[in-house]
Amino acid sequence: ANPAQSACSDCALGMYRPLDYSAATCLQCPAGKFANETASTACWECAPGFANPDVFATSPSACKPCSPGRFEDQYASTACTP
């Protein structure tokens, strides 16, 4: 076996690779989620009351609280509802 082929690189912040994903690439976290650690196997979801419209988020602070007069009762939201 070629040792170079068995070496793995960690996924960067804002990216993940599911355990059952066979490709050798990392995926960007979709809007409504974030990955704040390298080598993530999943992205964390924004909590209800927060939303994140951007992909590739690297911190929970990407999940912004809904402004007054708007709400969101679901996880992983990309926008707050008026």
Side-chain angles (χ1 to χ4, degrees), residues 5 22-23 29 42 50-52 61 63 71 73 75 78 81:
Q5 290 179 333
S22 61
C29 288
F50 293 81
N52 169 24
S61 65
C63 301
F71 76 98
D73 60 357
Y75 284 91
T78 60
T81 306

Side-chain angles (χ1 to χ4, degrees), residues 3-80:
Q5 290 179 333
S6 63
C8 296
S9 297
D10 290 344
C11 291
L13 295 176
M15 302 189 83
Y16 73 106
R17 183 175 177 273
L19 294 174
D20 60 353
Y21 187 64
S22 61
T25 58
C26 297
L27 305 171
Q28 289 184 345
C29 288
K33 299 183 178 186
F34 65 92
N36 61 341
E37 297 178 353
T38 59
S40 292
T41 57
C43 299
W44 294 95
E45 297 178 332
C46 293
F50 293 81
N52 169 24
D54 302 318
V55 298
F56 198 63
T58 60
S59 168
S61 65
C63 301
K64 304 295 184 197
C66 294
S67 58
R70 299 175 80 79
F71 76 98
E72 186 48 63
D73 60 357
Q74 302 294 315
Y75 284 91
S77 292
T78 60
C80 296

